[in-house]
Amino acid sequence: SPARRRKLEATVHQHLPVFHASHCVYARHLSDGNSYADCGHVCERHTIHLRDEKGADHVVLADMGCRNTVFNAAAQSGAEALADWLDAGISRFR
């Protein structure tokens, strides 16, 4: 319905998560600790990227539970569909 489409917020541009890991890359490579309890919280001060064989840098982010998520270096974009979404009544985007 038109009312529901007005409430919908579509994501137009984002870096998609490639994978999640319970192993903390930050603790392993930037501290002498093994977990949040003894790593010194290096993820709050540093950023890590994994570089693939083509040279693309994939950012690694740590969440509150010390799980790491690797995000694709190339953002996915829905910009080519924007006009169609506007015509369909979707007007909120991120």
Side-chain angles (χ1 to χ4, degrees), residues 2-75:
R4 291 183 73 182
R5 283 189 289 255
R6 283 193 298 275
K7 293 179 182 179
L8 181 67
E9 182 177 83
T11 301
V12 177
H13 186 88
Q14 71 176 344
H15 292 266
L16 295 174
V18 178
F19 66 86
H20 304 282
S22 58
H23 170 76
C24 184
V25 178
Y26 287 87
R28 171 66 179 94
H29 294 287
L30 296 178
S31 79
D32 293 325
N34 293 312
S35 71
Y36 190 75
D38 62 1
C39 71
H41 310 247
V42 291
C43 61
E44 296 173 1
R45 298 185 308 277
H46 298 282
T47 302
I48 291 179
H49 291 80
L50 299 178
R51 183 169 291 143
D52 67 19
E53 69 279 358
K54 296 180 181 177
D57 288 327
H58 306 275
V59 69
V60 180
L61 300 178
D63 66 17
M64 295 300 290
C66 293
R67 294 172 298 262
N68 288 189
T69 302
V70 178
F71 290 87
N72 196 330

